[in-house]
Amino acid sequence: MEPVDHFRGFLKKNGLAFTSARAAILKGIVASRGHFDADALHEQLKRVGESLSCATVYRTLPLFVQSGIIKETLRSKGRARYEPAWGLEHHDHLECVACGRIIEFRDDELERLQDKVCQRHSFRPVEHRLGIRGYCSECGKKGT
Amino acid sequence: MEPVDHFRGFLKKNGLAFTSARAAILKGIVASRGHFDADALHEQLKRVGESLSCATVYRTLPLFVQSGIIKETLRSKGRARYEPAWGLEHHDHLECVACGRIIEFRDDELERLQDKVCQRHSFRPVEHRLGIRGYCSECGKKGT
DNA sequence: TTGCCTGCAAACTCTTTGCATTTCC
DNA sequence: GGAAATGCAAAGAGTTTGCAGGCAA
């Protein structure tokens, strides 16, 4: 199933309308393969000729989160950031403090270990975020 | 060495002054054993009779981070949160989405595994944050 | 004395909200 | 037609900054 179909279903189920603005935002999300924030998404849509107010973007993003199309990731400089979640497995992030590059990775053993920690504390996990900040291979070569 | 001595050394080394405001903030940090945010710290200091502007708190916190007295942790509701880092081993967090309780834990194997992931990507880690959100044992009992 | 510090208030950034109007079903 | 969605602009929260005066070294 395509994201758009899933999203239409989600809207219908909740008595919400599939509007042109929402269609545009979804297109923007799909186009920006990777991480983005509200402002970047808004800018991108403007570039493509879609004119939406940023209020609409902010009002709509939670719908995409709820429907599972995207998810919030670590905030950066006070901005909420998102990434596509549709059809993707969970993964964690390496974030380069020098160039800002984000490297995604997944490690099953790491996941299992986290579950063990939760069990040990009788904690029922809903979600987790692991972010490792440091220097990527490129920036690491250059020094410091 | 006491935190205050370490901090004085840090200031001296950087040509900065050890002022009464900074002393008060340090006392506040030490007193609030655990997590806090700028606002909570400011409130606590007011309660003890110290009158500082919040601008000073905001301006001073980065000094404590740089000196290693505290460190930033996961943000919550748009607020930067901090915790003491002086003399404490690194640890990670379980955060209850129901009651807000934060449980700290440390798992050496988890740490090692993270290093392995970094090696695999030729990534030199500086710091990492692992936050697991879910329901603590208390809230888990009550339902949902 | 020479800067660094501070308080105050205004500015800023990201995000949310109220209201009148438009769009969807 | 009626509920829901939108744009606009103004409000909010948390945080930062400019400036004039105050303190540490």
Short mmCIF file of all heavy atoms in Angstrom, two decimals, chain B residues 20-37 40-48 50 52 57 61 64 69-70 84:
data_model
loop_
_atom_site.label_atom_id
_atom_site.label_comp_id
_atom_site.label_asym_id
_atom_site.label_seq_id
_atom_site.Cartn_x
_atom_site.Cartn_y
_atom_site.Cartn_z
N SER B 20 29.20 36.02 42.92
CA SER B 20 28.25 35.48 43.89
C SER B 20 27.08 34.80 43.16
O SER B 20 26.56 33.79 43.63
CB SER B 20 27.73 36.59 44.79
OG SER B 20 27.19 37.64 44.02
N ALA B 21 26.71 35.35 42.02
CA ALA B 21 25.63 34.72 41.26
C ALA B 21 26.04 33.31 40.85
O ALA B 21 25.27 32.35 40.98
CB ALA B 21 25.30 35.54 40.02
N ARG B 22 27.26 33.16 40.40
CA ARG B 22 27.71 31.84 39.96
C ARG B 22 27.82 30.89 41.13
O ARG B 22 27.52 29.69 41.00
CB ARG B 22 29.04 31.98 39.22
CG ARG B 22 28.81 32.57 37.84
CD ARG B 22 30.05 32.97 37.10
NE ARG B 22 29.65 33.62 35.85
CZ ARG B 22 30.49 34.18 35.00
NH1 ARG B 22 31.78 34.19 35.24
NH2 ARG B 22 30.04 34.74 33.89
N ALA B 23 28.24 31.42 42.26
CA ALA B 23 28.30 30.58 43.46
C ALA B 23 26.91 30.10 43.84
O ALA B 23 26.71 28.91 44.16
CB ALA B 23 28.93 31.36 44.62
N ALA B 24 25.94 31.01 43.78
CA ALA B 24 24.57 30.66 44.13
C ALA B 24 24.03 29.59 43.20
O ALA B 24 23.41 28.61 43.63
CB ALA B 24 23.68 31.89 44.08
N ILE B 25 24.27 29.77 41.90
CA ILE B 25 23.77 28.80 40.93
C ILE B 25 24.39 27.43 41.18
O ILE B 25 23.72 26.41 41.13
CB ILE B 25 24.03 29.29 39.50
CG1 ILE B 25 23.16 30.52 39.22
CG2 ILE B 25 23.73 28.19 38.49
CD1 ILE B 25 23.41 31.19 37.89
N LEU B 26 25.68 27.43 41.48
CA LEU B 26 26.33 26.16 41.76
C LEU B 26 25.71 25.48 42.97
O LEU B 26 25.44 24.28 42.97
CB LEU B 26 27.83 26.37 41.99
CG LEU B 26 28.64 25.11 42.32
CD1 LEU B 26 28.39 24.02 41.29
CD2 LEU B 26 30.12 25.43 42.40
N LYS B 27 25.44 26.29 44.01
CA LYS B 27 24.78 25.72 45.18
C LYS B 27 23.44 25.11 44.81
O LYS B 27 23.09 24.02 45.24
CB LYS B 27 24.56 26.81 46.25
CG LYS B 27 25.54 26.75 47.41
CD LYS B 27 25.09 27.67 48.55
CE LYS B 27 26.01 28.87 48.64
NZ LYS B 27 25.54 29.90 49.59
N GLY B 28 22.71 25.85 43.97
CA GLY B 28 21.41 25.35 43.52
C GLY B 28 21.54 24.03 42.78
O GLY B 28 20.74 23.12 42.97
N ILE B 29 22.54 23.94 41.94
CA ILE B 29 22.75 22.71 41.18
C ILE B 29 23.04 21.54 42.11
O ILE B 29 22.48 20.46 41.98
CB ILE B 29 23.92 22.90 40.18
CG1 ILE B 29 23.50 23.82 39.05
CG2 ILE B 29 24.38 21.55 39.65
CD1 ILE B 29 24.64 24.24 38.14
N VAL B 30 23.93 21.80 43.07
CA VAL B 30 24.30 20.73 43.99
C VAL B 30 23.10 20.31 44.83
O VAL B 30 22.88 19.13 45.07
CB VAL B 30 25.46 21.18 44.91
CG1 VAL B 30 25.73 20.14 45.98
CG2 VAL B 30 26.71 21.43 44.08
N ALA B 31 22.31 21.33 45.24
CA ALA B 31 21.15 21.04 46.08
C ALA B 31 20.12 20.21 45.33
O ALA B 31 19.56 19.25 45.87
CB ALA B 31 20.53 22.35 46.56
N SER B 32 19.87 20.58 44.09
CA SER B 32 18.86 19.84 43.32
C SER B 32 19.48 18.56 42.80
O SER B 32 19.82 18.45 41.65
CB SER B 32 18.40 20.68 42.14
OG SER B 32 19.32 20.56 41.08
N ARG B 33 19.60 17.61 43.65
CA ARG B 33 20.21 16.34 43.25
C ARG B 33 19.32 15.67 42.23
O ARG B 33 18.31 15.09 42.57
CB ARG B 33 20.34 15.42 44.46
CG ARG B 33 21.16 15.99 45.57
CD ARG B 33 21.02 15.18 46.84
NE ARG B 33 21.94 15.68 47.86
CZ ARG B 33 23.24 15.45 47.85
NH1 ARG B 33 23.76 14.67 46.91
NH2 ARG B 33 24.01 15.95 48.79
N GLY B 34 19.71 15.76 41.00
CA GLY B 34 18.93 15.09 39.97
C GLY B 34 18.70 16.00 38.80
O GLY B 34 19.44 16.95 38.58
N HIS B 35 17.66 15.72 38.08
CA HIS B 35 17.37 16.45 36.86
C HIS B 35 16.73 17.80 37.18
O HIS B 35 15.99 17.92 38.13
CB HIS B 35 16.43 15.64 35.97
CG HIS B 35 17.04 14.38 35.49
ND1 HIS B 35 17.29 14.15 34.16
CD2 HIS B 35 17.47 13.29 36.14
CE1 HIS B 35 17.84 12.98 34.02
NE2 HIS B 35 17.96 12.41 35.20
N PHE B 36 17.02 18.77 36.37
CA PHE B 36 16.38 20.07 36.53
C PHE B 36 16.43 20.82 35.20
O PHE B 36 17.18 20.45 34.31
CB PHE B 36 17.08 20.89 37.62
CG PHE B 36 18.52 21.20 37.31
CD1 PHE B 36 18.85 22.36 36.63
CD2 PHE B 36 19.53 20.32 37.68
CE1 PHE B 36 20.19 22.64 36.34
CE2 PHE B 36 20.86 20.60 37.38
CZ PHE B 36 21.19 21.76 36.71
N ASP B 37 15.61 21.85 35.11
CA ASP B 37 15.71 22.73 33.95
C ASP B 37 15.95 24.15 34.43
O ASP B 37 15.92 24.42 35.63
CB ASP B 37 14.46 22.61 33.05
CG ASP B 37 13.20 22.96 33.81
OD1 ASP B 37 13.24 23.88 34.65
OD2 ASP B 37 12.18 22.32 33.55
N ALA B 40 13.26 25.62 36.75
CA ALA B 40 13.20 25.00 38.08
C ALA B 40 14.36 25.50 38.94
O ALA B 40 14.19 25.80 40.13
CB ALA B 40 13.27 23.47 37.95
N LEU B 41 15.51 25.59 38.34
CA LEU B 41 16.69 26.06 39.06
C LEU B 41 16.47 27.49 39.54
O LEU B 41 16.76 27.84 40.68
CB LEU B 41 17.92 25.98 38.15
CG LEU B 41 19.27 26.35 38.74
CD1 LEU B 41 19.58 25.51 39.98
CD2 LEU B 41 20.36 26.18 37.70
N HIS B 42 15.93 28.29 38.65
CA HIS B 42 15.67 29.69 38.97
C HIS B 42 14.67 29.79 40.13
O HIS B 42 14.87 30.56 41.08
CB HIS B 42 15.11 30.40 37.74
CG HIS B 42 14.96 31.87 37.92
ND1 HIS B 42 13.94 32.59 37.36
CD2 HIS B 42 15.70 32.76 38.62
CE1 HIS B 42 14.06 33.86 37.70
NE2 HIS B 42 15.11 33.99 38.45
N GLU B 43 13.63 29.00 40.06
CA GLU B 43 12.61 29.00 41.12
C GLU B 43 13.22 28.60 42.46
O GLU B 43 12.98 29.23 43.49
CB GLU B 43 11.49 28.02 40.77
CG GLU B 43 10.56 28.50 39.67
CD GLU B 43 9.88 29.81 40.04
OE1 GLU B 43 9.50 29.98 41.22
OE2 GLU B 43 9.76 30.69 39.16
N GLN B 44 14.01 27.54 42.40
CA GLN B 44 14.61 27.03 43.63
C GLN B 44 15.48 28.09 44.28
O GLN B 44 15.45 28.28 45.50
CB GLN B 44 15.45 25.79 43.31
CG GLN B 44 15.77 24.96 44.53
CD GLN B 44 17.12 24.31 44.40
OE1 GLN B 44 17.44 23.77 43.35
NE2 GLN B 44 17.92 24.36 45.45
N LEU B 45 16.25 28.79 43.46
CA LEU B 45 17.13 29.82 44.00
C LEU B 45 16.32 30.96 44.62
O LEU B 45 16.69 31.49 45.67
CB LEU B 45 18.05 30.36 42.89
CG LEU B 45 19.12 29.35 42.46
CD1 LEU B 45 19.82 29.82 41.21
CD2 LEU B 45 20.12 29.12 43.57
N LYS B 46 15.21 31.29 43.99
CA LYS B 46 14.36 32.33 44.56
C LYS B 46 13.84 31.88 45.92
O LYS B 46 13.81 32.66 46.88
CB LYS B 46 13.16 32.62 43.64
CG LYS B 46 13.45 33.72 42.64
CD LYS B 46 12.17 34.38 42.14
CE LYS B 46 11.34 33.41 41.30
NZ LYS B 46 10.30 34.11 40.52
N ARG B 47 13.45 30.61 46.01
CA ARG B 47 12.92 30.07 47.26
C ARG B 47 13.94 30.21 48.39
O ARG B 47 13.59 30.43 49.55
CB ARG B 47 12.52 28.60 47.07
CG ARG B 47 11.04 28.36 47.37
CD ARG B 47 10.69 26.91 47.12
NE ARG B 47 10.73 26.59 45.70
CZ ARG B 47 11.40 25.56 45.17
NH1 ARG B 47 12.08 24.75 45.93
NH2 ARG B 47 11.38 25.37 43.87
N VAL B 48 15.21 30.06 48.05
CA VAL B 48 16.26 30.12 49.06
C VAL B 48 16.68 31.57 49.33
O VAL B 48 17.57 31.84 50.12
CB VAL B 48 17.48 29.29 48.60
CG1 VAL B 48 18.47 29.12 49.74
CG2 VAL B 48 17.03 27.94 48.09
N GLU B 50 17.88 33.69 47.03
CA GLU B 50 18.80 34.25 46.05
C GLU B 50 17.99 34.91 44.96
O GLU B 50 17.08 34.30 44.41
CB GLU B 50 19.64 33.13 45.42
CG GLU B 50 20.48 32.35 46.39
CD GLU B 50 21.68 33.14 46.87
OE1 GLU B 50 21.93 34.23 46.32
OE2 GLU B 50 22.36 32.66 47.80
N LEU B 52 18.22 36.17 41.36
CA LEU B 52 18.96 36.28 40.11
C LEU B 52 17.95 36.45 39.00
O LEU B 52 16.85 35.94 39.08
CB LEU B 52 19.75 35.01 39.83
CG LEU B 52 20.63 34.44 40.92
CD1 LEU B 52 21.05 33.05 40.54
CD2 LEU B 52 21.81 35.33 41.13
N VAL B 57 20.78 33.01 34.79
CA VAL B 57 20.75 31.55 34.84
C VAL B 57 21.04 30.98 33.45
O VAL B 57 21.91 30.12 33.29
CB VAL B 57 19.39 31.04 35.35
CG1 VAL B 57 19.32 29.52 35.25
CG2 VAL B 57 19.18 31.48 36.80
N LEU B 61 24.44 28.65 32.74
CA LEU B 61 24.37 27.20 32.58
C LEU B 61 25.40 26.66 31.59
O LEU B 61 26.03 25.63 31.88
CB LEU B 61 22.95 26.78 32.19
CG LEU B 61 21.97 26.76 33.38
CD1 LEU B 61 20.55 26.47 32.91
CD2 LEU B 61 22.40 25.70 34.40
N PHE B 64 28.64 25.88 33.21
CA PHE B 64 28.67 24.66 34.01
C PHE B 64 28.74 23.42 33.11
O PHE B 64 29.36 22.43 33.48
CB PHE B 64 27.45 24.59 34.92
CG PHE B 64 27.52 25.54 36.07
CD1 PHE B 64 26.83 26.74 36.06
CD2 PHE B 64 28.32 25.25 37.17
CE1 PHE B 64 26.91 27.63 37.11
CE2 PHE B 64 28.41 26.14 38.23
CZ PHE B 64 27.71 27.33 38.20
N ILE B 69 30.49 20.24 35.10
CA ILE B 69 29.72 20.10 36.34
C ILE B 69 28.36 19.49 36.07
O ILE B 69 27.85 18.70 36.85
CB ILE B 69 29.53 21.49 37.02
CG1 ILE B 69 30.87 22.14 37.33
CG2 ILE B 69 28.68 21.35 38.26
CD1 ILE B 69 31.55 21.61 38.56
N ILE B 70 27.76 19.90 34.98
CA ILE B 70 26.47 19.35 34.59
C ILE B 70 26.52 18.97 33.12
O ILE B 70 27.47 19.28 32.42
CB ILE B 70 25.31 20.36 34.79
CG1 ILE B 70 25.57 21.61 33.94
CG2 ILE B 70 25.17 20.74 36.26
CD1 ILE B 70 24.44 22.62 34.00
N PRO B 84 23.40 16.73 37.04
CA PRO B 84 24.78 16.80 37.50
C PRO B 84 25.62 15.78 36.73
O PRO B 84 25.14 14.70 36.40
CB PRO B 84 24.68 16.41 38.96
CG PRO B 84 23.27 16.64 39.34
CD PRO B 84 22.46 16.41 38.11
#
